[in-house]
């Protein structure tokens, strides 16, 4: 049985009940011209060529996909910087992010706002004035619209396979 890293713990991946599996797929940005807030058409086509059906697109170059189990590994090597995460709770659409703040900045204020939006702060990056954590995808637009926020970037999840 394969295993997956989830929240820094190794857990067995349950065998799918059918020949398809639900995964979150993240695509790394190859260059500065690649969008940081959506999937490119090339990535959408790649998912479809591997028999995947896009069920949800995140506010990053990422999507929730139902795909034939046998095609997961070939999808993972089909493009540069692909990360695949087995979906433990299909009702949740959380994504790991990094949020950079404009100076002056108060971690207390930033962390409070992050939690108000349903997020869980996991890291403080003092040297670059940023936070990292898990947040519902629906809250990303609110963070990006905050005048104190310089950037919000999706962080690839711990990979299921690569």
């Amino acid at each position: 049985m394969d295993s997956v890293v989830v929240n820094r713990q190794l857990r067995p991946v349950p065998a799918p009940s059918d020949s398809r599996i639900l995964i979150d797929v993240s695509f790394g940005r190859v260059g500065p011209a690649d969008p940081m807030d959506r999937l490119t058409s090339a990535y959408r086509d790649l998912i479809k060529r591997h028999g995947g059906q896009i069920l949800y697109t995140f506010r990053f170059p990422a999507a929730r996909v139902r795909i034939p189990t046998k095609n997961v590994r070939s999808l993972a090597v089909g493009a540069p910087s692909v990360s695949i995460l087995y979906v433990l709770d299909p009702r949740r659409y959380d994504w790991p992010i990094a949020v950079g703040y404009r100076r002056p900045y108060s971690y207390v204020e930033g962390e409070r706002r992050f939690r108000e939006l349903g997020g869980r702060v996991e890291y403080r990056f003092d040297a670059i004035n940023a936070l990292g954590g898990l947040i519902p995808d629906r809250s990303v637009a609110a963070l990006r619209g905050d005048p104190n926020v310089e950037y919000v970037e999706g962080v690839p999840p711990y990979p299921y396979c690569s």
Side-chain angles (χ1 to χ4, degrees), residues 13-66:
V13 175
S17 59
D18 60 17
S19 62
R20 298 177 76 75
I21 191 168
L22 189 63
I23 59 174
D24 285 343
V25 182
S26 170
F27 297 93
R29 295 175 64 213
V30 178
D34 288 347
M36 55 191 268
D37 62 345
R38 66 187 177 284
L39 285 176
T40 64
S41 59
Y43 291 145
R44 288 177 182 276
D45 292 343
L46 179 69
I47 291 168
K48 290 176 184 170
R49 277 197 313 271
H50 283 83
Q53 174 189 9
I54 298 172
L55 304 176
Y56 181 83
T57 55
F58 289 90
R59 289 167 177 84
F60 303 102
R64 176 144 307 159
V65 175
R66 183 165 302 282

Side-chain angles (χ1 to χ4, degrees), residues 1 3 11 30 47 60 74 102:
M1 178 182 284
S3 296
R11 296 185 185 168
V30 178
I47 291 168
F60 303 102
S74 62
R102 293 183 172 87

Side-chain angles (χ1 to χ4, degrees), residues 105-115 124 131:
Y105 163 72
S106 159
Y107 276 115
V108 173
E109 182 180 317
E111 288 179 11
R112 179 189 53 77
R113 178 74 172 136
F114 203 88
R115 284 191 300 276
R124 283 175 141 185
L131 294 173

Side-chain angles (χ1 to χ4, degrees), residues 7 114-115 118-123 132-136:
N7 296 333
F114 203 88
R115 284 191 300 276
R120 184 178 72 228
V121 176
E122 296 178 347
Y123 305 102
L134 197 64
I135 196 162

